[in-house]
Amino acid sequence: MSTIEAPHDSEPAGARGSVATGNATGASRWLTRGRALDVVSFIARFYMAYIWISAGVAKLDSHMETTQTIMAYEIFTPEWSDLLARMIGPLEIAGGVLLLLGVFLRHANVVAIVVLSLFIVGIAQAWSRGLIIDCGCFGVEQLSADPRGEYATTIARDVVFIALSAWSIYRPFKKWAIYP
């Protein structure tokens, strides 16, 4: 005599009845897919935390270079460039720490998408105006003779970062999160 167990509310739809019928392929397929999505969420959260923290740390001890980089965009006055140069490094570090610790994960990623979008707009406008600038993303970098390829690469990289942040809004990795 075999007994059939009632499915639990916490079981995925594909796993219901699998144990009772002896067919574990539905459950194992769900577990594999779930784990793969967890890995993507883990990478998105912690890689973006690393990106924000490393970008902010690179700017901490280079106030003058960061101010000059911001001024090169020809958007802000020298006073605003100075203020932004003082703020941007600590704010990037703060955003990275929020992701690292798992505090307000979705909100932190929304802010990250807004900031990355503004970075893309700034780089695109400099590119379209023919300005030769260093983006200043990770400190002062050497420019090549033709920075147009660097602009496209930087914009593409930021689009990937936006995709990772959007994924973290959709499916945040909440394990080890203090206040997700």
Side-chain angles (χ1 to χ4, degrees):
M1 177 186 247
S2 71
T3 60
I4 298 177
E5 296 178 18
H8 300 288
D9 288 337
S10 62
E11 289 180 339
R16 289 190 176 145
S18 301
V19 176
T21 61
N23 181 5
T25 58
S28 65
R29 200 171 332 135
W30 180 84
L31 290 175
T32 303
R33 180 173 177 258
R35 284 189 184 160
L37 295 177
D38 283 344
V39 168
V40 172
S41 296
F42 172 86
I43 291 169
R45 174 180 158 194
F46 290 107
Y47 181 69
M48 288 309 298
Y50 162 76
I51 290 299
W52 285 113
I53 291 170
S54 61
V57 167
K59 293 177 184 90
L60 283 182
D61 288 335
S62 60
H63 173 72
M64 182 174 38
E65 292 86 0
T66 303
T67 301
Q68 291 171 342
T69 300
I70 294 170
M71 286 178 59
Y73 282 89
E74 297 181 2
I75 300 173
F76 301 106
T77 65
E79 294 79 19
W80 275 102
S81 297
D82 179 63
L83 178 65
L84 288 171
R86 291 184 191 282
M87 292 174 35
I88 196 165
L91 288 175
E92 287 175 335
I93 292 170
V97 169
L98 288 176
L99 291 176
L100 185 66
L101 296 177
V103 179
F104 301 118
L105 289 172
R106 286 191 168 105
H107 293 75
N109 280 295
V110 168
V111 171
I113 289 173
V114 170
V115 170
L116 288 164
S117 298
L118 291 173
F119 287 165
I120 289 172
V121 168
I123 293 165
Q125 70 81 29
W127 187 9
S128 70
R129 292 172 45 204
L131 300 177
I132 298 176
I133 62 166
D134 166 24
C135 78
C137 303
F138 297 97
V140 178
E141 301 166 1
Q142 295 290 56
L143 289 175
S144 66
D146 184 16
R148 287 180 293 233
E150 291 177 23
Y151 296 148
T153 302
T154 301
I155 290 171
R157 180 195 65 206
D158 286 352
V159 168
V160 170
F161 291 165
I162 287 173
L164 290 172
S165 296
W167 177 263
S168 292
I169 293 169
Y170 170 71
R171 192 175 197 283
F173 186 75
K174 293 181 181 179
K175 190 171 185 176
W176 309 308
I178 292 175
Y179 190 78

